[in-house]
């Protein structure tokens, strides 16, 4: 887990939402002090298992903190695409370029109360998102289209 993840925020939100369970996957996590039982680390899973694993959840979380001002460059973390393509609602903190990049596909909130509300809103968002919307998103954000957008941005930087 990177320094971008706001563990203090997650602990506060888990304490505010004891009827929810917050599972995290990935390498390098140690349970922070004061970690409530409903905030759980599940460890590393194979990339191929991610789509199936996500089917068991309602909300994908992007609980980033503004780590040394880097959020100004982060528009859409890779997990954002996985979450939306899996039909999940997305709850994110609102730093830097995240709102600009993810737009209406995510619900935003900073601080424990704001992020907890974003989680609740994202659960509703995911329930309301139609299968056809998810499929259209997946087509629009294929690796080929993402790579093309990156090449276009790089070209624009090179030739202003």
């Amino acid at each position: 887990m990177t320094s971008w993840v706001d563990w203090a925020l997650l602990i506060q939100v888990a304490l505010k939402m004891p009827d929810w369970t917050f599972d995290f996957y990935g390498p390098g996590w140690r349970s922070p002090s004061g970690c409530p039982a409903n905030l759980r680390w599940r460890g590393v899973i194979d990339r191929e298992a991610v789509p199936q694993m996500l089917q068991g959840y309602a909300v994908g979380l992007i609980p980033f903190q503004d780590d040394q001002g880097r959020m100004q460059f982060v528009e859409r973390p890779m997990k954002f695409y996985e979450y939306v393509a899996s039909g999940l609602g997305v709850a994110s903190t609102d730093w830097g370029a995240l709102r600009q990049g993810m737009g209406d596909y995510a619900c935003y909130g900073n601080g424990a109360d704001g992020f907890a509300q974003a989680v609740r809103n994202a659960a509703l968002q995911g329930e309301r998102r139609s299968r056809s919307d998810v499929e259209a998103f997946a087509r629009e954000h294929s690796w080929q289209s993402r790579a093309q957008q990156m090449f276009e941005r790089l070209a624009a930087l090179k030739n202003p």
Side-chain angles (χ1 to χ4, degrees), residues 1 23-27 45-62 64 75-91 102 105-106 125-126 129 131 133-135 137-143 146:
M1 296 294 168
D23 290 339
F24 289 87
Y25 295 82
I45 63 170
D46 291 330
R47 291 292 297 153
E48 295 80 30
V50 170
Q52 182 65 31
M53 176 270 299
L54 289 176
Q55 293 306 309
Y57 295 96
V59 178
L61 303 178
I62 303 176
F64 288 172
E75 293 181 357
R76 295 180 185 154
M78 188 61 68
K79 63 182 72 201
F80 164 73
Y81 297 103
E82 295 171 340
Y83 294 160
V84 177
S86 295
L88 302 181
V90 178
M102 295 185 292
Y105 281 100
Q125 176 192 58
R129 190 170 285 144
R131 177 101 175 134
D133 287 343
V134 170
E135 290 170 354
F137 177 88
R139 280 191 305 275
E140 183 181 331
H141 294 92
S142 68
W143 278 111
R146 296 301 305 148

Side-chain angles (χ1 to χ4, degrees), residues 23-160:
D23 290 339
F24 289 87
Y25 295 82
W29 191 72
R30 291 194 178 106
S31 180
S33 62
C35 189
N38 63 332
L39 179 59
R40 306 178 306 191
W41 178 62
R42 296 296 188 184
V44 178
I45 63 170
D46 291 330
R47 291 292 297 153
E48 295 80 30
V50 170
Q52 182 65 31
M53 176 270 299
L54 289 176
Q55 293 306 309
Y57 295 96
V59 178
L61 303 178
I62 303 176
F64 288 172
Q65 57 188 333
D66 194 14
D67 184 44
Q68 302 171 1
R70 293 181 197 159
M71 287 292 103
Q72 66 181 319
F73 304 109
V74 179
E75 293 181 357
R76 295 180 185 154
M78 188 61 68
K79 63 182 72 201
F80 164 73
Y81 297 103
E82 295 171 340
Y83 294 160
V84 177
S86 295
L88 302 181
V90 178
S92 178
T93 48
D94 190 7
W95 297 112
L98 289 171
R99 184 182 292 261
Q100 175 187 344
M102 295 185 292
D104 292 339
Y105 281 100
C107 300
Y108 304 91
N110 291 338
D113 290 332
F115 196 75
Q117 189 59 52
V119 170
R120 289 184 197 96
N121 292 344
L124 294 173
Q125 176 192 58
E127 288 175 11
R128 294 177 181 150
R129 190 170 285 144
S130 72
R131 177 101 175 134
S132 62
D133 287 343
V134 170
E135 290 170 354
F137 177 88
R139 280 191 305 275
E140 183 181 331
H141 294 92
S142 68
W143 278 111
Q144 182 178 358
S145 68
R146 296 301 305 148
Q148 182 62 37
Q149 288 177 6
M150 287 189 296
F151 288 134
E152 289 170 6
R153 284 186 173 188
L154 290 172
L157 290 172
K158 187 176 179 183
N159 303 313

